[in-house]
Amino acid sequence: MDARNFSALDSKGMQQVNADIPPLLTQALNASNVSAQWKRRMFGQHAGDSYVAGMDPEVLPALVGCFPDALREVLASRRAETPASTSLQLRVSIHVGPLPTSGLGVPMVHTHRLLDDDALRSVLNRANPEITNTAVIISQRVYEDVFESGCVNGDVLPAQFMRHLVKVKKFQQPAYVLIPGFDWRLADPDIFEPLDTADTATEQPAPTPGVSPQPASAAPGTVSFSHTGEHGVQAYNHFGAGRGQ
């Protein structure tokens, strides 16, 4: 994990964040019922605004299903208890793979590449730090191991994760982003680069010059609205009739 905007703090602020991170992680992991595994963590490294550690893969269902929301809650409590301090936002990456006790290996490199994802950074940069304090990215392997096994803990849903392609240096792999409590259908899709536009694109007839495209007919009982831009109506959205009503 890594703290956003750490370099913008003064020396006292940096020291405070550095001191706060380990106990905050411990509180969140205790609330996720993995305190015993956390005490046995391997290659724990605390470097100012970041922390990395390894635990047994058996904790993955709890890390995916419970930890993100638990971390959000402890960060919110920190803000409420110390309102004079700068709101702390944390980016978290979760990956799985075999590593020696030193922690050196390809899975560790991939974990850091996930954390450096531009989209993950962009989400927190856009967010109000007093509202959105946690952003989590998990590798495709973690997502499959947890959700396809049906072993996820807590009430998190697969739909709460946004899948997109992470590109950092030579690393390029699909991953899943979670903002605890956020519905991705409300997000600006331009944050993410499509995985494969060829799979999602459909041919549309060219619009007649001077004529605005018309929305699809809304089902009875729906509510619709349109977004109009410089070049006419750009998008229509329908809600209700079994689709989010």
Side-chain angles (χ1 to χ4, degrees), residues 152-184:
V152 64
N153 292 347
D155 57 1
V156 71
L157 299 171
Q160 290 176 256
F161 291 80
M162 172 62 76
R163 185 173 186 254
H164 86 110
L165 187 64
V166 176
K167 295 181 180 180
V168 179
K169 297 182 178 181
K170 295 182 179 180
F171 178 85
Q172 183 171 315
Q173 289 187 16
Y176 294 79
V177 176
L178 168 71
I179 308 298
F182 185 70
D183 184 347
W184 283 109

Side-chain angles (χ1 to χ4, degrees), residues 20-244:
D20 285 350
I21 284 176
L24 289 171
L25 286 176
T26 298
Q27 290 177 48
L29 289 162
N30 287 347
S32 304
N33 297 317
V34 294
S35 57
Q37 294 88 339
W38 177 241
K39 290 178 181 177
R40 298 195 301 267
R41 63 188 178 274
M42 296 173 287
F43 49 81
Q45 301 173 21
H46 185 23
D49 62 338
S50 63
Y51 196 98
V52 61
M55 291 190 286
D56 193 287
E58 69 179 4
V59 304
L60 282 178
L63 288 182
V64 172
C66 301
F67 176 65
D69 198 57
L71 183 60
R72 180 192 64 79
E73 290 183 1
V74 299
L75 290 174
S77 295
R78 174 187 182 271
R79 176 186 56 78
E81 293 166 3
T82 57
S85 63
T86 302
S87 294
L88 182 59
Q89 292 176 292
L90 296 180
R91 304 192 319 274
V92 179
S93 63
I94 301 173
H95 186 39
V96 62
L99 284 173
T101 55
S102 66
L104 298 177
V106 172
M108 177 65 77
V109 173
H110 288 182
T111 302
H112 287 288
R113 294 293 180 262
L114 292 171
L115 194 64
D116 288 335
D117 177 36
D118 284 341
L120 194 68
R121 293 177 181 273
S122 178
V123 165
L124 286 187
N125 288 340
R126 294 183 180 205
N128 182 335
E130 294 188 351
I131 299 173
T132 303
N133 57 38
T134 304
V136 178
I137 187 167
I138 66 175
S139 66
Q140 178 161 302
R141 180 174 173 182
V142 169
Y143 183 92
E144 292 172 350
D145 285 354
V146 170
F147 288 108
E148 292 185 7
S149 69
C151 293
V152 64
N153 292 347
D155 57 1
V156 71
L157 299 171
Q160 290 176 256
F161 291 80
M162 172 62 76
R163 185 173 186 254
H164 86 110
L165 187 64
V166 176
K167 295 181 180 180
V168 179
K169 297 182 178 181
K170 295 182 179 180
F171 178 85
Q172 183 171 315
Q173 289 187 16
Y176 294 79
V177 176
L178 168 71
I179 308 298
F182 185 70
D183 184 347
W184 283 109
R185 292 191 178 187
L186 304 176
D188 176 1
D190 291 339
I191 296 175
F192 300 101
E193 179 178 342
L195 283 171
D196 188 354
T197 54
D199 291 341
T200 58
T202 56
E203 288 190 19
Q204 298 292 337
T208 303
V211 178
S212 298
Q214 296 299 314
S217 298
T222 63
V223 177
S224 65
F225 67 91
S226 62
H227 172 68
T228 305
E230 178 183 3
H231 302 293
V233 177
Q234 296 176 333
Y236 290 89
N237 301 273
H238 303 290
F239 298 91
R243 298 196 297 179

